[in-house]
Amino acid sequence: MDGTQKKIVAVVAALLIVIVAIAGVFVLTKESSSNDELNDEDLITSDWQAILNDAKGQSIEIAFYEADTQTKQFLAYMKDEMKSKYDISVSWSEYGPVATGIVKNEFKNGVTTGGKYDLIWGDTTMFANVISTVSGAEYDYIFDKTVDGKGWVNALPNSKYLSDHAEDMVSSIVSGYKSGSAAEFSNGETMYIYNPDYSVYQYNNEKVPYNVVMVKDEDNTGFVKVGYTGSLYNNQYESTISAASSSSTVYSILSVRQYMTSNFGTVQGHVFFGLPDNFSDLYQWAQIYRGQFTYPDATNSSATFHTNLILSAIMYELQYENQTAKTGWAVAEDKDLNIERVDKALASISSKEEFTAEFGYLYNYLADLDKYTNKSIGYNKTGTVSEINGKMIGCNNEKDYGSGTVLIGLTTVASVDMRTDAYACSIAAYAFDSCCSSQYYLLIPDNSSHKSAAMVLANWMLEPSVQAEFYLLTGNSFNIDTSKTADGDSADIWTTYFADGVSDWTRYVPIDRHNEVTIVGQPLGKASLMDTIWHERIGN
């Protein structure tokens, strides 16, 4: 090798040294910017500032429902807030049950660190993928370390705003769940939607019963007691709701509609139909307004969640009117005692046969109800709940109900079903005296390498101002206790953050009705049994 060649080799070697040095600096810089220095115990015991410092500069991926425009707006708001306030970059994909399935597969393939997801949001069905206490198939893939009985949720400053019952559902359904390892965020409730242009739930703060209609002519408003059959209506009405309710005269609903149509050329704005308050009333209501109630078929893959909720709500409220003869339908006289009975029975049931023996009456009720249900709309195997309920009177310029319309439909996830752009008509919602609630939770996979950033995001989501923004943007329910007082405020959370912005309670159980409406947890652990029996009953 001559002198020139030696110089070239020396230059190349020097360049390689410089490149390696630069790469080393880049690697060190990237590593130091993402921090991740706190171990699992530190995340529970450290002060909050240490967690904020550790989270700074991290990039995380979360699992979050994003199937509608409004939720996407909330996610964009989340992304901007996390970057500007905490220097945390957030991306998202999938939804809870799918995401936890991915986590389960990662652990099966030995991925115990650096997993895809850092925070997952979903209903309680997602926990089945990450926690199992079944003998021979035990696994635990979520961050549920505890120190002195406290988990990562307890370390969040804003966890103080959660209600005292925030973990009731997950702890009762998920065997092996450790307190403090999942933070509640929002929920779904069995609700019933209607077009307020044709139906009336209350008039002047007085409930309109299921068998009373409100009639209006050009000058007067009156009330009429109705049945599917009865006397012919001829502009004879009572001046008050209570007088119509107690009247011995029952008018045919068909004749009321016919009279109003013949006099004014349209039903819209001139007759408003009362609504049922419970499943016993619903059965009677459906016989008056035949074909005007619908719910999705259990074999509709896009609506199974909803159909299981209506079964659960019936389970907690309804009994045979004659327990001995097993005939008729009535609301349990003691709701609390009935809820206790149901929960006790569910705890001991493990087979389809046992479920049928205890709760077979649910399907008998639905068989009776289905004689008057709009099966042509609800009983299809495709279509979202919004599409099914979009057959309501007024959504397609109908001015009276017929074979292709409904007055009441089922909904549970209001963030999807109660959108102003989901229907081409006015929509309002209300709850029966008993309704079933499905809580949603945030969990951190154990193989997340960015747990501190996930905790900072979860804490942000529990901020009163963020909860209010979530409701206003998405229409989905908030879950913190609004009777508590936020730091630095003299008034309670409701007054400070919600009272001015939340003006439309037609999408949810009004907050003053929570004391009179019994809301119970969904027995998701028995969902597969409920599905199987239902499919067999309807011949699918």
Side-chain angles (χ1 to χ4, degrees):
M1 184 181 294
D2 60 25
T4 301
Q5 290 174 318
K6 288 180 180 179
K7 288 180 180 179
I8 291 172
V9 170
V11 170
V12 171
L15 285 172
L16 287 173
I17 291 171
V18 171
I19 290 170
V20 170
I22 292 172
V25 170
F26 173 75
V27 170
L28 288 173
T29 303
K30 182 180 180 182
E31 185 66 30
S32 62
S33 69
S34 61
N35 296 324
D36 300 326
E37 296 175 355
L38 299 179
N39 62 34
D40 287 356
E41 184 169 333
D42 291 337
L43 291 171
I44 298 171
T45 60
S46 297
D47 63 71
W48 188 244
Q49 188 58 51
I51 293 173
L52 289 173
N53 293 340
D54 191 65
K56 188 175 181 180
Q58 292 186 25
S59 296
I60 61 175
E61 182 167 352
I62 68 172
F64 205 93
Y65 181 85
E66 56 164 342
D68 57 79
T69 302
Q70 287 80 356
T71 302
K72 288 177 181 177
Q73 289 176 351
F74 175 74
L75 288 169
Y77 166 64
M78 170 197 292
K79 182 177 181 178
D80 290 345
E81 287 278 291
M82 294 306 293
K83 187 63 179 176
S84 62
K85 290 185 176 181
Y86 307 107
D87 192 21
I88 295 173
S89 299
V90 181
S91 59
W92 50 84
S93 62
E94 300 297 351
Y95 174 58
V98 175
T100 54
I102 292 172
V103 172
K104 183 178 182 179
N105 286 331
E106 286 178 339
F107 273 92
K108 281 186 173 181
N109 294 319
V111 182
T112 58
T113 186
K116 177 178 176 62
Y117 290 107
D118 301 294
L119 189 69
I120 298 175
W121 178 68
D123 61 72
T124 48
T125 59
M126 68 178 176
F127 286 89
N129 288 322
V130 287
I131 297 179
S132 173
T133 57
V134 177
S135 179
E138 298 95 340
Y139 52 82
D140 186 348
Y141 303 145
I142 73 171
F143 177 33
D144 58 3
K145 184 178 182 60
T146 59
V147 178
D148 296 328
K150 304 293 185 182
W152 69 267
V153 176
N154 306 110
L156 306 180
N158 290 333
S159 65
K160 63 189 174 186
Y161 300 129
L162 290 169
S163 75
D164 295 336
H165 303 286
E167 293 179 288
D168 282 2
M169 181 172 288
V170 65
S171 61
S172 66
I173 291 175
V174 181
S175 178
Y177 172 78
K178 296 178 184 177
S179 180
S181 53
E184 185 191 4
F185 185 77
S186 191
N187 62 74
E189 297 170 350
T190 45
M191 303 287 287
Y192 302 89
I193 66 171
Y194 63 97
N195 185 339
D197 292 337
Y198 298 88
S199 300
V200 58
Y201 182 74
Q202 287 187 338
Y203 181 74
N204 288 343
N205 297 318
E206 187 176 356
K207 176 71 178 70
V208 180
Y210 72 89
N211 59 347
V212 168
V213 298
M214 182 173 74
V215 293
K216 299 180 72 172
D217 59 25
E218 295 174 336
D219 303 308
N220 302 297
T221 297
F223 304 92
V224 179
K225 189 173 184 178
V226 295
Y228 189 71
T229 60
S231 302
L232 295 179
Y233 178 74
N234 188 27
N235 201 28
Q236 302 166 22
Y237 53 79
E238 302 290 347
S239 59
T240 65
I241 296 171
S242 57
S245 300
S246 59
S247 175
S248 59
T249 303
V250 177
Y251 293 99
S252 161
I253 183 60
L254 302 177
S255 69
V256 174
R257 291 167 55 218
Q258 184 179 27
Y259 178 88
M260 300 305 290
T261 302
S262 64
N263 275 264
F264 300 107
T266 175
V267 171
Q268 183 174 13
H270 296 290
V271 59
F272 296 82
F273 307 98
L275 300 172
D277 260 341
N278 54 60
F279 288 102
S280 177
D281 284 357
L282 176 62
Y283 180 59
Q284 303 297 327
W285 183 94
Q287 293 179 64
I288 299 172
Y289 312 99
R290 299 185 182 189
Q292 290 303 299
F293 173 69
T294 192
Y295 62 94
D297 178 0
T299 60
N300 182 339
S301 60
S302 70
T304 299
F305 174 76
H306 302 260
T307 54
N308 280 332
L309 269 177
I310 192 173
L311 271 177
S312 303
I314 296 169
M315 179 189 303
Y316 280 106
E317 179 183 273
L318 207 63
Q319 292 181 336
Y320 282 116
E321 189 171 31
N322 186 322
Q323 293 287 350
T324 304
K326 298 188 182 306
T327 57
W329 302 107
V331 174
E333 292 184 8
D334 188 327
K335 289 199 292 186
D336 291 336
L337 186 63
N338 193 54
I339 290 169
E340 184 180 330
R341 175 192 69 82
V342 170
D343 285 341
K344 184 178 180 180
L346 286 171
S348 63
I349 288 173
S350 59
S351 70
K352 180 182 68 175
E353 291 72 23
E354 289 173 341
F355 190 93
T356 302
E358 184 67 38
F359 297 112
Y361 66 88
L362 300 177
Y363 304 94
N364 295 338
Y365 169 78
L366 289 171
D368 283 348
L369 182 66
D370 284 348
K371 296 171 185 175
Y372 313 105
T373 296
N374 196 326
K375 292 184 179 181
S376 64
I377 293 176
Y379 269 57
N380 56 32
K381 298 180 178 62
T382 59
T384 65
V385 175
S386 295
E387 289 169 342
I388 293 169
N389 291 340
K391 301 295 185 179
M392 286 195 162
I393 299 173
C395 276
N396 296 308
N397 296 315
E398 307 95 335
K399 296 179 179 178
D400 195 3
Y401 64 72
S403 60
T405 63
V406 295
L407 282 173
I408 304 179
L410 169 74
T411 184
T412 51
V413 185
S415 63
V416 178
D417 302 321
M418 294 308 301
R419 298 299 185 205
T420 54
D421 60 353
Y423 302 100
C425 61
S426 300
I427 293 292
Y430 76 107
F432 282 4
D433 290 339
S434 295
C435 65
C436 207
S437 173
S438 181
Q439 290 172 297
Y440 298 85
Y441 292 93
L442 298 165
L443 64 80
I444 298 176
D446 213 17
N447 63 352
S448 165
S449 292
H450 309 290
K451 293 186 178 77
S452 58
M455 288 173 64
V456 173
L457 174 54
N459 188 66
W460 174 83
M461 293 171 77
L462 296 179
E463 282 276 359
S465 59
V466 173
Q467 292 263 316
E469 190 70 14
F470 180 66
Y471 175 85
L472 294 171
L473 280 176
T474 71
N476 213 338
S477 183
F478 48 86
N479 60 280
I480 58 174
D481 186 345
T482 57
S483 67
K484 295 183 178 181
T485 303
D487 292 339
D489 292 335
S490 57
D492 60 33
I493 290 171
W494 173 262
T495 302
T496 303
Y497 296 96
F498 288 85
D500 289 339
V502 182
S503 58
D504 181 9
W505 275 107
T506 60
R507 293 189 259 187
Y508 291 99
V509 182
I511 200 160
D512 58 355
R513 280 205 76 206
H514 274 273
N515 291 329
E516 57 186 84
V517 174
T518 303
I519 300 178
V520 292
Q522 181 188 9
L524 281 168
K526 313 300 178 185
S528 61
L529 296 177
M530 294 158 70
D531 284 346
T532 300
I533 298 168
W534 204 340
H535 286 212
E536 291 177 354
R537 288 291 184 106
I538 61 178
N540 289 285

